Amino acid sequence: MSDAADARPPADTPIRVLIADDQAMVRTGFRLILASQPGIEVAGEAADGSECVELARRLRPEVCLVDIRMPNLDGLEVTRLLAGPGVVDPLRVVVVTTFDQDDYVDTAIRNGACGFLLKDAGPELLVEAVRSAVRGGAMVSPAVTVRLLRQWANRPRRATRANPLTGRELDIARLVAVGRTNQEICAELHLSLSTVKTHLSNIQAKLTVRNRVEIAAWAWDTGAVRTR
């Protein structure tokens, strides 16, 4: 299975980031934040969606930071083209936007985004979203997370084939679906970090998904998460 997380750079290689936003001041702000961080460099900037897709395919950055409302192609379509279902060699896309709308969050994640941040989330979360994407994780703004999980919980369940996960894998998928970090999963299930990471890789392979956001979506869609 092609998985963007499998293509993570070596530890001593800078994380290259492409910034796409139609506002020059936003791009400048993001560039200054990211360039000040060790191990991160800005590989390029795009002022519209079409330019973002072209640059991303040519430069192959480790992470693309993509605004939603851009000329030519919006960020949701950019995400689908770079990371969506059917993309042979997907890139990691983190959507960063001013617009806190449930339909945007849902569509971005369905289109393959591995993160969704609001622009007022702060520099620390922006940097963490980039690093998390490279590690194969996902960062969703705290202001969005609870609403997103509630939305998934209330959605009609999909008819699915038999659950392919083992009992332990299902335990981990459920914890991912309610927002637990790897370290929290370790503590709750009394497992080592390497064991949790192995289980997560196996879950992704069995479900044919590419990151923990898609694991969470599967868990909520199929009713694997027990609502309280």
Side-chain angles (χ1 to χ4, degrees):
M1 178 181 66
S2 177
D3 189 333
D6 293 337
R8 70 189 64 182
D12 59 348
T13 301
I15 299 169
R16 297 172 306 122
V17 180
L18 173 64
I19 301 169
D21 196 292
D22 62 342
Q23 297 184 49
M25 289 183 64
V26 172
R27 296 196 306 273
T28 298
F30 285 177
R31 183 177 68 248
L32 292 173
I33 291 168
L34 295 174
S36 70
Q37 299 299 311
I40 298 178
E41 66 181 36
V42 176
E45 297 180 24
D48 65 64
S50 296
E51 184 183 14
C52 176
V53 171
E54 187 277 325
L55 279 176
R57 289 173 171 169
R58 175 160 55 87
L59 298 175
R60 303 295 302 176
E62 279 69 51
V63 180
C64 301
L65 294 178
V66 177
D67 187 22
I68 286 184
R69 295 190 180 179
M70 294 188 292
N72 297 325
L73 291 176
D74 67 30
L76 299 176
E77 180 64 9
V78 168
T79 302
R80 187 187 69 80
L81 291 172
L82 297 180
V87 176
V88 175
D89 193 9
L91 291 166
R92 305 176 185 90
V93 177
V94 175
V95 172
V96 187
T97 183
T98 304
F99 304 99
D100 180 9
Q101 297 179 205
D102 289 342
D103 58 334
Y104 283 168
V105 182
D106 190 64
T107 302
I109 291 172
R110 299 296 177 185
N111 284 0
C114 62
F116 190 99
L117 286 185
L118 301 180
K119 287 182 180 177
D120 62 2
E124 295 82 5
L125 280 182
L126 181 69
V127 172
E128 179 56 28
V130 169
R131 297 194 188 280
S132 178
V134 172
R135 294 194 299 264
M139 172 70 71
V140 177
S141 281
V144 175
T145 302
V146 172
R147 256 196 2 266
L148 175 63
L149 295 179
R150 186 180 297 117
Q151 177 184 339
W152 280 340
N154 293 331
R155 174 180 295 149
R157 306 304 183 203
R158 292 187 305 186
T160 60
R161 293 174 294 178
N163 168 29
L165 305 183
T166 66
R168 179 57 81 197
E169 289 167 351
L170 189 57
D171 289 339
I172 291 174
R174 287 168 174 155
L175 291 175
V176 167
V178 295
R180 298 290 195 276
T181 65
N182 285 358
Q183 288 74 17
E184 289 169 340
I185 293 172
C186 291
E188 191 157 339
L189 298 181
H190 307 289
L191 299 173
S192 70
L193 183 57
S194 62
T195 298
V196 169
K197 289 181 177 179
T198 297
H199 280 309
L200 286 170
S201 294
N202 291 339
I203 291 167
Q204 288 178 206
K206 288 181 178 181
L207 300 181
T208 321
V209 299
R210 289 174 297 193
N211 55 55
R212 65 198 299 126
V213 174
E214 293 183 0
I215 293 173
W218 173 89
W220 285 106
D221 275 353
T222 59
V225 180
R226 299 185 182 94
T227 57
R228 294 178 174 85

